[in-house]
Each structure stands twice: as C-alpha cells, then as structure tokens.
Amino acid sequence: MEQDLLREIHEFLARSKMSPSYFGKAACNNSELVGRLEDGKTITFATAAKARAFIRERDAVGAA
C-alpha cells in the first residue's frame, strides 16, 4: 500500500510543483508524511485515504 501511495504522491508533486512537506501538512496535517513513506514507514488506511482524497480534489480543481 505505502509504495503505491508514495508513487501517486510523487506523481502529484511533479504535476503540482508542491513541496513534499506542504503536501503532507495540507493533506494530513503531517509535514513528515512523505519522508516517513520514503523511509519505509507504514501509515494508517485513514491517512492514506486522506492523502488520496487530497490528490483527487486538487486534480479536479486543476482540471476545471
């Protein structure tokens, strides 16, 4: 789960030009989120869902 999410986050960061720490803070109130995933740490399903929802919402706004 974490590796798939990390790939999705990196793809989003490349599209949006958002920094990893800003993404973590805005998406999940955790500026260390991306770093934790890169270090191989696990996260809860709820946190993963928040991150994916944030990506979907931002992509939808960008497409509008």
Side-chain angles (χ1 to χ4, degrees), residues 8-32:
E8 291 174 44
I9 291 170
H10 280 296
E11 289 171 359
F12 172 76
L13 293 177
R15 286 192 306 274
S16 68
K17 308 293 190 230
M18 189 178 290
S19 73
S21 61
Y22 183 82
F23 171 83
K25 184 72 171 166
C28 302
N29 201 31
N30 179 354
S31 62
E32 299 297 319

Side-chain angles (χ1 to χ4, degrees), residues 1 5 20 29 37 41-42 47-48 50 52 54 57-58 63:
M1 172 183 75
L5 177 59
N29 201 31
L37 290 170
K41 305 272 174 58
T42 61
T47 299
K50 285 180 188 177
R52 286 188 169 110
F54 180 83
E57 290 167 11
R58 287 294 178 107

